[in-house]
Amino acid sequence: MANAPTMTDAQGNPIFLDMHEHDHEAGGSTMLGFWIYLMSDCLIFAMLFAAYGLFGTSYAGGPRASEIFELPLVAVNTSMLLLSSITYGFAMIAMQNGKKAGVLGWLAITGLFGAAFVGIELTEFSKLIAEGATPQRSAFLSSFFTLVSTHGLHVSFGILWLITLMVQVGRFGLTAANRRRLLCLSLFWHFLDVIWIGVFTFVYLLGVLR
Amino acid sequence: MSAATDDHGHGDAPHFSRKGYLIGLGFSVVLTAIPFWLVMTGTLGSAAATGYTIMAFAVVQVIVHAIFFLHLDPKAESGWQFMALMFTIVVVVITLIGSLWVMYHMNINMMPGTADSASGM
C-alpha cells in the first residue's frame, strides 16, 4: 500500500477519518420500519376504499346498503374498538411505569375488546349471508365484504400478536426487545382504529344515506 | 418514536399519559356519536348535508387519533416518520380522487341505452 494517499494537515500530522458507522443499537430503526409498513398497509386500504367507492351503489338488483346495515350494531362495534384503543394505551402507561402485571392485565382486556369486535363482525356477516346478501350477490357486496373483512383480519392477527406478546412479557418481562414490540403493536392497534373511522363513516353511515 | 432505551437523541419513546388518552377518548366518543346520531335521526334533513358533515367529523377524528393515540410527532425519527405519512396521504388522495373521478365518468359514458354510447358503437 505504498501508493495509498496519506492525508495530512498543514503541520504534516496525519488526519484520521472515522470510516466506521456508529454502532446502532439493535432495533434502533424498527419503529420507523414498522411505520413504513403501516403506511403501505394504508395504501392497501385506500385501494379497497376506492373499490367500495366505485361499487358502493352497484346493487345488481340485490339488497341496498340501507336495507341490510344495522347501525346500532355498528355503533356497538365501533365502541368496542375505541375502548380497546384506550385499554391498549393504559397498557403502554403501565409499561412506562415498569409494571409488568399492569401491562398483562390491560393487554388481556384489550384482547377481549378486540375479540368482541371480531365476534360482532362475524355475527353481522353471518346474518347478512343468511339473508342472501353474500359476497357473490353484487359488486356492492363484494367490495363491502372485501374491505370490512380485510380490516377484521387485521384485527384478528393483531389479537394473535397481542397474545404472543403477553406470553413473551410473562416469560421474559419488560425487556428492551419486548418494549419495542409492544410499541409496534401499539401503532398497529391504533392504526386499525383509524381505518375503522373510515369504515364506519364511508361504508356504513354513507351507505345508509344513499 | 424509537425504543425507550435509544440514546441517539432522535426522538424518545412518546410519553404516555392517562390524561392524554382520556382526552382522546372524550373527543372520539363525541366525534363518533354525533355522526351516528345525525344519520340515525336524519336531523339535518338533506342526505348531502349529512354526508358532508359526517365526512368532516371523520377527518377531525382521524387527526384526534393521530395526536392522542398514535402520538404523531413531526420531529420523530428526524422527520422521516412524518415524511412517510405525508407521502402516503398524497398517494392515497391521488388514488381515491383519481379512481372515483375516472370511473364515475366511465360509468356514465358506458351506460347502455344512452344516445352517446349508441351512436359511438
Side-chain angles (χ1 to χ4, degrees):
Chain A
M1 298 293 278
N3 294 331
T6 43
M7 295 176 75
T8 51
D9 62 12
Q11 284 77 41
N13 300 319
I15 295 173
F16 295 101
L17 296 178
D18 185 6
M19 302 296 282
H20 293 281
E21 295 263 333
H22 291 287
D23 284 334
H24 280 274
E25 195 177 335
S29 53
T30 305
M31 295 311 290
L32 182 59
F34 192 76
W35 180 259
I36 290 177
Y37 153 69
L38 283 183
M39 293 299 98
S40 67
D41 221 12
C42 199
L43 295 181
I44 294 180
F45 279 108
M47 305 300 150
L48 296 176
F49 273 109
Y52 181 82
L54 296 173
F55 299 128
T57 49
S58 305
Y59 303 118
R64 302 172 66 87
S66 51
E67 295 162 0
I68 54 172
F69 290 160
E70 290 178 42
L71 288 189
L73 197 66
V74 181
V76 172
N77 226 0
T78 305
S79 52
M80 288 297 134
L81 208 57
L82 186 56
L83 286 173
S84 81
S85 252
I86 292 301
T87 56
Y88 199 101
F90 290 162
M92 289 294 94
I93 295 170
M95 179 183 91
Q96 188 172 261
N97 299 334
K99 288 180 183 149
K100 181 178 153 184
V103 172
L104 289 176
W106 284 116
L107 284 184
I109 295 171
T110 307
L112 288 179
F113 277 128
F117 172 84
V118 174
I120 292 172
E121 193 166 289
L122 287 177
T123 313
E124 187 202 6
F125 281 180
S126 68
K127 263 191 199 168
L128 288 178
I129 289 169
E131 290 168 6
T134 62
Q136 299 96 316
R137 183 62 191 82
S138 62
F140 152 60
L141 286 165
S142 303
S143 56
F144 163 77
F145 274 102
T146 313
L147 171 56
V148 179
S149 61
T150 302
H151 178 272
L153 269 179
H154 273 78
V155 176
S156 307
F157 278 101
I159 295 171
L160 208 62
W161 186 5
L162 188 138
I163 294 169
T164 314
L165 281 187
M166 282 177 69
V167 174
Q168 286 274 334
V169 171
R171 274 202 188 165
F172 305 109
L174 295 170
T175 59
N178 277 344
R179 283 169 186 264
R180 192 170 65 238
R181 290 165 189 150
L182 285 168
L183 283 173
C184 281
L185 181 57
S186 157
L187 285 182
F188 186 72
W189 201 264
H190 294 310
F191 168 76
L192 289 179
D193 204 7
V194 171
I195 297 292
W196 184 254
I197 299 171
V199 173
F200 81 70
T201 304
F202 291 98
V203 175
Y204 288 102
L205 292 180
L206 282 182
V208 168
L209 277 180
R210 62 186 180 188
Chain B
M1 256 186 238
S2 27
T5 48
D6 194 338
D7 56 2
H8 281 276
H10 49 78
D12 287 309
H15 180 76
F16 302 105
S17 73
R18 191 167 297 263
K19 196 178 154 207
Y21 278 109
L22 289 177
I23 293 173
L25 175 69
F27 273 121
S28 299
V29 167
V30 172
L31 291 168
T32 303
I34 293 176
F36 271 94
W37 174 72
L38 284 177
V39 172
M40 286 162 94
T41 59
T43 307
L44 286 184
S46 91
T50 313
Y52 287 119
T53 311
I54 65 173
M55 280 193 261
F57 272 101
V59 172
V60 176
Q61 198 181 348
V62 167
I63 296 170
V64 165
H65 277 236
I67 294 171
F68 291 101
F69 296 161
L70 285 169
H71 305 284
L72 210 63
D73 174 10
K75 293 192 189 74
E77 304 279 3
S78 318
W80 285 109
Q81 186 194 33
F82 201 67
M83 191 86 92
L85 175 69
M86 286 302 129
F87 175 67
T88 309
I89 290 175
V90 168
V91 173
V92 165
V93 167
I94 292 174
T95 309
L96 285 178
I97 294 181
S99 306
L100 294 174
W101 181 41
V102 171
M103 294 302 289
Y104 173 76
H105 286 284
M106 271 178 66
N107 267 341
I108 287 183
N109 291 325
M110 293 294 282
M111 202 65 86
T114 59
D116 280 355
S117 67
S119 63
M121 289 290 164

